[in-house]
Amino acid sequence: ISKLENQLLASGEFEKIIKFYEYQENGVQGEIDLLGLKKDSTYFYEIKSNYTIRARIKAKLQFEKFKRAFPKTHAIGYLYCGGGLIQL
């Protein structure tokens, strides 16, 4: 997680980076590995040690849950594994 966090901080694109963000909103509870905040967008990063179809499905489900919790938020989701980003 620290590797991606450092990359995001170094990019200078985000107003704030939150690690291990826990939420309970609109009857939905969850946790996000990294959350990047920009002025009008929220970037969701789920981090897995390696890429598998199961990891991608789990990340997609976690992202969908986040969007249900925050329906008015413009959210963009990514799975980070093995040094690469895959948009959800």
Side-chain angles (χ1 to χ4, degrees):
I1 292 175
S2 294
K3 182 179 178 181
L4 178 59
E5 180 183 23
N6 290 337
Q7 289 174 352
L8 297 175
L9 288 169
S11 75
E13 295 181 35
F14 295 94
E15 295 170 10
K16 188 172 187 178
I17 304 280
I18 304 169
K19 189 169 23 174
F20 303 122
Y21 179 72
E22 294 183 6
Y23 62 90
Q24 186 169 352
E25 195 74 35
N26 293 320
V28 180
Q29 182 177 352
E31 181 264 329
I32 301 166
D33 292 333
L34 278 176
L35 199 64
L37 304 177
K38 288 188 179 182
K39 186 174 184 172
D40 53 1
S41 298
T42 300
Y43 289 75
F44 169 105
Y45 295 92
E46 182 60 30
I47 300 166
K48 302 294 181 195
S49 58
N50 52 33
Y51 179 83
T52 63
I53 295 299
R54 185 175 183 180
R56 185 172 184 156
I57 291 169
K58 186 176 179 185
K60 180 73 170 171
L61 292 172
Q62 289 173 308
F63 181 55
E64 294 299 326
K65 186 165 72 166
F66 176 78
K67 291 194 310 184
R68 284 194 314 274
F70 301 97
K72 295 181 180 179
T73 299
H74 180 252
I76 301 161
Y78 290 97
L79 168 62
Y80 178 82
C81 54
L85 285 173
I86 300 167
Q87 190 165 2
L88 299 172

